[in-house]
Amino acid sequence: LKLQFLYLIVQSTFTMAMFRGAMRSGALGARCFSLTRHNLALTTFNMADVGEGIKEVEVLEWFVKEGDRVEELQRLCEVQSDKATVELTTPWAGKVVKVHNPVGDMQQVGAPLVDIEVAGGAAAEEEEEEEAAPAAAAAPAAPKAAAASSAPSGGAFKQSAAGAKVLCAPAVRRIAAEKGVDLSQVTPTGKGGRVTKADLINFMDGTSAKAAPAAVAGGAPASSAPIYSPEDKTVKISGRARLMVQSMNESLKIPSFGAADEINLNNLVKVRSVLKPVVEKRGAKLSYMPFFVKAASLALKEVPIVNTQISEDQSHFTFKGAHNIGIAMDTAEGLVVPNIKDVQSKSIFQIAQELGELQKKGAANAFTTADLQGGTFTLSNIGSIGGTYVSPVIMAPQTAIGALGKIAKLPKFNAKGEIEEQNTLYISWTADHRIIDGATMVRFSNAWKQKLEDPSTMLLDLM
């Protein structure tokens, strides 16, 4: 009996060894994978980051209900922040078990949005493949990518280093190929710098973000004036207006101060008149705004503390390397602030092109989450509507903002003491006094002013 018992143990051990060897060689991989798909796992889909400084959104509409079966990339719901309306899609196929917040409720970013019952093997496929990947496969750029994903600027869509191999599971690569997504544009959050399915879904959700009807930068609102009524009328603060209230309450907690100046644009008017037809032949329009934006970037290089962001616990602040300059645009439902990325590396012509694209997106309700995310400094142009000086409100977590007034023709004394007609621009600044003092902000303003009053000096620093 003892010999028979030992024989059975040896036989079992040999059989298990053969089975493991077959698994490693892939001979039984497909069969075992199909078996694991019968296991069900409850997976929670958390609310993704949808924009700079946004901590919560309002649920506008659910496209599914509890008990529904959903397919991969099927629409789940539509949410709205104070900056954009975004449609979210599911990363997995399965059954909707729980919807955490009904229509009209506020959904916290990072909190559970919906629970989906998915096939265990399918849900774990990506994670298993990541676990199996050799640690050496992680690219040297992975730590940088991780740092970028945790940066307060919300730079979730920064491009990977040129030529770097994108690490991801085959399922993720397949979906990207089907949807025409360049994986190098997606910031990885997985182990070893790998792009996960959730990363890809969040990136694609960003491309479907919508904004309210927008006017050209600083232009008149898209909606008509409200009709007068002699009766009192109570309007509920909801949707974007409600979120704007919350956003402004946060911004007004910033201890700030203002500064203002006048800029002589006579030389810039001449330069623009010469370059405008040249730019139009190249398919773009040249307003004054590209000059204002580029001059701001050059001034930020000289006074970099104006391009900083303070941490939530106020224990440190970060100098932002990228000059992602936001352009405030008026809309029927409020303010939208898309930004032009990496202005420090762009020419005035390139800025004019991108500004034109943003204006087209605004008119077509086609702002992406990436357009609205990652701003480090903002310019607001109220001048096209009218007005001279204003007190702009800082967009947290940024530390400064400028408001451009109208350009007025005024009689001014020149350097020779003679009265001449001057194209005068009014500029108002607001800065975070926790980081920036008055003298620093004035130095920045002077640097910006000098480049606009003598645009030829910008040639020394243009890319």
Side-chain angles (χ1 to χ4, degrees), residues 48-54 83 109 145-159 185 187 203 309 312 318 320 324 339 341 369-376 396-398:
D49 180 10
V50 293
E52 179 69 33
I54 296 174
K83 298 178 182 177
V109 171
S149 67
S150 62
S153 65
F157 304 107
K158 289 183 180 177
Q159 187 170 353
Q185 300 290 332
T187 296
F203 180 82
Q309 293 183 355
E312 288 189 12
T318 303
K320 305 303 291 183
N324 299 340
N339 62 80
K341 302 289 193 296
T369 302
D371 292 329
L372 304 170
Q373 197 172 37
T376 63
Q398 299 174 28

Side-chain angles (χ1 to χ4, degrees), residues 391-404:
S391 298
V393 178
I394 298 170
M395 293 185 58
Q398 299 174 28
T399 51
I401 183 173
L404 308 166

Side-chain angles (χ1 to χ4, degrees), residues 229-235:
S229 171
E231 303 295 330
D232 292 347
K233 181 181 179 182
T234 301
V235 178

Side-chain angles (χ1 to χ4, degrees), residues 121 127 210 304 404 412 432:
E127 295 179 6
K210 299 179 291 182
L404 308 166
K412 295 280 186 176
D432 186 338

